[in-house]
């Protein structure tokens, strides 16, 4: 399909990063058409940027088969779901003085660039539901991953009374409906991770391992990769940099070099959207060919890098993949 958005892109996006966007989208479609699977990684504040407006549909249409994200992206999609009407946009954020920022703090409005997340309606509302799940699991000796606790809350419907956007625009809700594998490395570096630590310190949660760990995420990812790659090539679509991308891409060299597994294929497609230009020692700014030396990609792996704003580029690529 070639909808109006796709037709516009094909007509106007002809050179430089614009052409790379088209090439990456076409290769994404070709990868899926050949029976491939795709992992998407989310860094930055893509959930607060409301990427769910397009990513949720990608998930529903089986264009995404696993997600790796920061704890912030996992929780901020839910914050937006349950407190969207209380958010405040600050389009003049570049002009804010330190005193303006202090005033936002005193109102419990946590700023992410041009968007302020309300602490009480978003964070504390989710915390209440999570704490009940954490404490119940702690009492019964059960252990779950961070995303599994979120899935349990969404499936129970206990937050449905607070929904302020259409759940179809929540990528986590779409992932829950398909029971999509989600990997959240470094979850403790998030608001809900901090909440969990606080409740462990107070003694409300006795076993700190009630929430399963990042090492267990890697073990689970290795199992998923082995099973999935035995049947299909797996692509890697990286939005931003950081741990959300670095963690999952390393599963391949881990399987090869640390476990000595043979016959496990490397990633079959690679694209990164990044505003981190090539530099000295920056993982986020590394060109894709550097990953060949680490055993993550092959010489003939289709590779793309788009140096631009992911909040602009990702929805456009998704639109082309969806035929919008």
């Amino acid at each position: 399909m070639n909808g109006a958005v796709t037709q516009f892109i094909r007509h106007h996006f002809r050179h430089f990063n614009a052409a790379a966007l088209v090439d990456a989208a076409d290769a994404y479609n070709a990868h899926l058409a050949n029976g491939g699977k795709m992992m998407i990684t989310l860094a930055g504040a893509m959930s607060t940027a409301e990427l769910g407006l397009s990513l949720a549909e990608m998930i529903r249409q089986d264009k995404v088969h696993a997600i790796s994200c920061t704890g912030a992206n996992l929780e901020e999609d839910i914050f937006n779901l349950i407190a969207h009407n209380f958010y405040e946009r600050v389009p003049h954020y570049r002009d804010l003085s330190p005193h303006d920022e202090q005033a936002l703090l005193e109102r419990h409005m946590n700023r992410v660039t041009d968007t302020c997340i309300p602490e009480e309606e978003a964070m504390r509302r989710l915390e209440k539901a999570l704490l009940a799940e954490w404490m119940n699991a702690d009492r019964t000796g059960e252990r779950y991953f961070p995303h599994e606790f979120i899935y349990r809350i969404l499936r129970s419907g206990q937050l449905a009374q607070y929904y302020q956007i259409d759940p179809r625009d929540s990528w986590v809700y779409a992932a829950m409906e398909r029971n999509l594998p989600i990997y959240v490395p470094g979850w403790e570096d998030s608001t809900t991770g901090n909440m969990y630590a606080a409740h462990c310190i107070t003694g409300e949660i006795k076993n700190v391992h009630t929430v399963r760990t990042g090492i267990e995420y890697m073990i689970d990812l290795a199992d998923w990769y082995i099973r999935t790659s035995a049947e299909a090539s797996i692509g890697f679509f990286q939005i931003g940099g950081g741990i959300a991308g670095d963690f999952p891409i390393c599963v391949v060299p881990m399987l090869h070099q640390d476990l000595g597994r043979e016959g496990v294929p490397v990633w079959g497609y690679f694209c990164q959207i990044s505003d981190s230009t090539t530099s000295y020692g920056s993982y986020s700014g590394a060109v894709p060919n550097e990953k060949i030396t680490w055993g993550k990609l092959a010489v003939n792996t289709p590779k793309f890098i788009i140096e631009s704003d992911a909040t602009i580029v990702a929805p456009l690529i998704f639109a082309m993949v969806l035929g919008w």
Side-chain angles (χ1 to χ4, degrees), residues 25-46:
D26 286 343
Y28 193 129
N29 273 324
H31 180 78
L32 296 181
N34 290 329
K37 304 294 184 181
M38 190 67 72
M39 168 176 274
I40 286 185
T41 76
L42 302 176
M46 296 308 297

Side-chain angles (χ1 to χ4, degrees), residues 55-166:
L55 179 55
E57 189 63 21
M58 289 280 286
I59 294 169
R60 281 191 292 270
Q61 293 198 24
D62 199 33
K63 310 293 187 183
V64 181
H65 306 92
I67 288 179
S68 171
C69 69
T70 57
N73 274 300
L74 179 70
E75 66 197 14
E76 287 177 19
D77 182 81
I78 306 303
F79 292 163
N80 184 56
L81 175 64
I82 62 177
H84 178 83
N85 296 346
F86 295 96
Y87 278 55
E88 292 182 15
R89 186 163 177 264
V90 188
H92 60 284
Y93 65 92
R94 292 180 178 88
D95 301 326
L96 294 178
S97 70
H99 293 291
D100 293 331
E101 305 280 20
Q102 178 66 29
L104 289 173
L105 169 65
E106 291 170 0
R107 293 174 51 223
H108 302 278
M109 298 298 291
N110 299 265
R111 186 170 71 82
V112 180
T113 310
D114 71 346
T115 304
C116 292
I117 304 175
E119 177 184 337
E120 191 62 35
E121 292 83 2
M123 299 171 185
R124 299 308 167 191
R125 188 171 284 173
L126 178 58
E127 179 186 21
K128 182 178 179 181
L130 276 172
L131 180 58
E133 291 288 341
W134 290 336
M135 292 182 66
N136 183 62
D138 190 52
R139 282 192 298 269
T140 58
E142 297 174 280
R143 303 179 62 237
Y144 299 102
F145 285 120
H147 77 280
E148 291 178 317
F149 278 109
I150 296 293
Y151 279 6
R152 290 169 68 87
I153 288 170
L154 293 178
R155 289 188 180 117
S156 73
Q158 60 185 285
L159 289 176
Q161 61 181 311
Y162 301 117
Y163 292 174
Q164 296 183 350
I165 64 168
D166 188 333

Side-chain angles (χ1 to χ4, degrees), residues 1-3 5-7 9-10 20-33 36-38 40 54-65 237 239 269 271 273 304 306 313-324:
M1 294 187 299
N2 281 307
V5 177
T6 299
Q7 292 178 41
I9 293 170
R10 289 202 182 280
L21 183 159
V22 175
D23 292 342
D26 286 343
Y28 193 129
N29 273 324
H31 180 78
L32 296 181
K37 304 294 184 181
M38 190 67 72
I40 286 185
S54 55
L55 179 55
E57 189 63 21
M58 289 280 286
I59 294 169
R60 281 191 292 270
Q61 293 198 24
D62 199 33
K63 310 293 187 183
V64 181
H65 306 92
F237 190 89
I239 300 176
Y269 162 101
C271 176
I273 307 169
F304 307 90
I306 306 163
V313 171
L316 293 176
I317 290 181
F318 293 166
M320 292 191 72
V321 173
L322 293 165
W324 287 354

Side-chain angles (χ1 to χ4, degrees), residues 275-293:
D275 60 5
S276 178
T277 54
T278 305
S279 60
Y280 304 98
S282 164
Y283 291 122
S284 298
V287 296
N289 280 352
E290 184 177 295
K291 293 173 173 57
I292 296 172
T293 72

